[in-house]
Amino acid sequence: MMIHLKNLSKTYEGRSGTHDALRDVTLHIERGDVFGIIGQSGAGKSTLVRCINLLERPTSGSVVIDGVDVTVYEGKDLRVLRSKIGMIFQGFSLFQQRDVLGNVTFPLELRGVSKADARARARDLLSLVGLADKADFYPSQLSGGQQQRVAIARALANDPKILLCDEATSALDTLTTHAILGLLRDINEQLGVTVVVITHSLSVARQVCNKVAVVDRGRLAEAGFVEDVLAAPRSEAARLLVEADGVIGFRHADSPVIAKKAV
């Protein structure tokens, strides 16, 4: 699915006044991209991505998916849209009282899929994420990386065309982060899912993304192919991120090869 955010703004009202989380952001994400949204804490990254599945309603502007303006979707239309958009979070958000298989079948149960079909689909997904032998385990029995793999499997249960990753590796150590990013890249290549990755880490963007957008204080500072942005940042926000992360001498050959498959 192609995603086009047009002149997107989001303003929050509070006791101390208003806060502009997003300011007139226009951004295009192609079908099959692994697209990184990067920036410092509080830059507006999460708000931007949550506008894609309308967990946050933009104050102005529009969200266009495959040529259709979905900004005003409600009720059944909104439920159908969200079924096509999977989401994974930093904190995993698993049900502790359900075993691994039960966590993955949950979205299918909500759709009324039969128990046998839901369990078969869940087992296929657990195999995809490398946890075929953990179906009967509970989240508390798993490592952080394994819990995130369960969350990814659950996010894929409804066969989404878009996968949103909200700081999905921030709670993980370096080696586990590397493995999870590799899994996301494999999912992109094998399933043709468009992946949007929120991160404050350029090393994460460098490993998994083919394109990135830098967000700074609610505005789009710059966007482009990851190797171009990291090798020759045009904005002050991107330059500061490069300096802070120590990304020097980024070569085109270092960039991941992302398959562009029709969804």
Side-chain angles (χ1 to χ4, degrees):
M1 283 183 155
M2 290 185 292
I3 305 165
H4 192 190
L5 308 179
K6 296 182 178 180
N7 305 113
L8 214 63
S9 294
K10 175 65 178 181
T11 300
Y12 293 102
E13 302 285 344
R15 292 181 179 179
S16 58
T18 61
H19 169 63
D20 295 322
L22 296 175
R23 307 181 188 189
D24 196 32
V25 173
T26 294
L27 188 63
H28 190 73
I29 300 173
E30 295 282 353
R31 181 183 292 111
D33 275 344
V34 179
F35 200 104
I37 307 294
I38 61 177
Q40 303 284 0
S41 297
K45 306 185 298 296
S46 291
T47 301
L48 179 63
V49 169
R50 286 166 181 259
C51 283
I52 294 174
N53 60 359
L54 301 177
L55 286 178
E56 294 284 357
R57 292 276 182 176
T59 304
S60 61
S62 57
V63 179
V64 178
I65 297 180
D66 277 354
V68 178
D69 187 346
V70 302
T71 318
V72 296
Y73 273 15
E74 294 182 353
K76 181 181 178 181
D77 289 336
L78 183 57
R79 289 193 296 273
V80 171
L81 173 69
R82 287 178 176 163
S83 73
K84 298 176 182 177
I85 304 175
M87 192 163 189
I88 58 175
F89 304 90
Q90 176 180 350
F92 318 137
S93 299
L94 300 178
F95 297 110
Q96 297 300 313
Q97 73 277 18
R98 281 179 170 244
D99 62 17
V100 164
L101 193 70
N103 268 278
V104 181
T105 59
F106 183 72
L108 299 168
E109 294 169 15
L110 293 180
R111 280 180 47 209
V113 175
S114 71
K115 183 176 180 179
D117 288 345
R119 290 172 70 87
R121 169 69 173 162
R123 289 189 185 280
D124 287 343
L125 289 169
L126 289 174
S127 294
L128 177 68
V129 302
L131 292 179
D133 60 337
K134 303 294 184 184
D136 297 329
F137 282 56
Y138 284 82
S140 61
Q141 297 174 290
L142 304 178
S143 68
Q146 289 171 331
Q147 290 187 63
Q148 194 59 285
R149 287 173 182 269
V150 176
I152 292 170
R154 184 180 60 185
L156 294 173
N158 283 323
D159 193 23
K161 307 308 178 187
I162 298 170
L163 183 61
L164 307 179
C165 307
D166 191 354
E167 296 278 9
T169 60
S170 293
L172 306 176
D173 61 60
T174 302
L175 288 177
T176 306
T177 292
H178 183 84
I180 293 297
L181 294 178
L183 174 60
L184 291 175
R185 188 166 60 243
D186 290 344
I187 287 168
N188 167 260
E189 294 173 350
Q190 294 174 28
L191 304 181
V193 177
T194 301
V195 181
V196 183
V197 178
I198 304 173
T199 182
H200 61 274
S201 170
L202 288 178
S203 61
V204 167
R206 179 178 184 175
Q207 181 179 339
V208 73
C209 301
N210 64 318
K211 298 174 186 174
V212 293
V214 179
V215 180
D216 180 43
R217 290 174 290 184
R219 297 187 183 276
L220 179 64
E222 65 177 284
F225 289 101
V226 64
E227 63 267 25
D228 295 335
V229 172
L230 299 190
R234 301 186 309 273
S235 66
E236 179 66 14
R239 284 194 292 272
L240 290 173
L241 285 170
V242 169
E243 291 172 3
D245 216 50
V247 179
I248 301 172
F250 191 94
R251 304 186 310 277
H252 186 275
D254 294 328
S255 61
V257 177
I258 305 298
K260 298 295 188 297
K261 298 183 181 178
V263 177

